[in-house]
Amino acid sequence: MYAYAEVNWDGPAFREVDDPTIFDGAKLRLQIKQSREGTDPVVVERDFPGLEEWLEDSTSNANYDGRYRTGTISHRAGPGAMADSVLFLDWHGDGRGYQRHDYTASPTV
């Protein structure tokens, strides 16, 4: 099975162009899971920390809309395999570190 994630966002128009101080960190964790009754175990995962750079990048009009696609991960998987992702955001200066944002797994392979 091969998996990748595409992230799209509609950010605000802001006062600064390309503000590198919005986040202290942002990454997407891409996972391949084996679907089972109960909790689906992760069989392979990889973090893609390049997301922060894309989130802090804007157009020349300071519009922070954007799109990011991870690299591909793979694993020899049987029936019931699925891709999943977790977004981790560490907002600049809030002192809370990375906060986890889960999404529903995709059964499309």
Side-chain angles (χ1 to χ4, degrees):
M1 175 179 180
Y2 295 91
Y4 65 89
E6 289 184 354
V7 182
N8 296 291
W9 60 92
D10 182 9
F14 197 54
R15 65 183 182 279
E16 286 186 45
V17 173
D18 299 339
D19 184 355
T21 65
I22 297 171
F23 297 100
D24 288 334
K27 61 186 176 183
L28 191 74
R29 178 170 294 154
L30 183 57
Q31 303 172 324
I32 294 176
K33 295 180 174 183
Q34 187 64 46
S35 182
R36 299 217 170 103
E37 189 173 323
T39 303
D40 299 329
V42 175
V43 293
V44 67
E45 69 182 8
R46 181 174 161 202
D47 286 351
F48 291 89
L51 181 60
E52 178 185 0
E53 181 180 318
W54 287 87
L55 288 169
E56 294 175 335
D57 188 37
S58 71
T59 65
S60 59
N61 294 331
N63 189 338
Y64 282 83
D65 295 348
R67 179 179 170 186
Y68 175 77
R69 180 180 162 158
T70 68
T72 302
I73 63 173
S74 64
H75 183 74
R76 185 175 299 268
M82 68 175 80
D84 202 356
S85 64
V86 182
L87 175 64
F88 291 91
L89 298 176
D90 182 0
W91 290 92
H92 178 71
D94 74 350
R96 296 175 60 198
Y98 279 106
Q99 298 297 301
R100 180 185 180 115
H101 305 275
D102 291 296
Y103 294 90
T104 303
S106 170
T108 304
V109 292

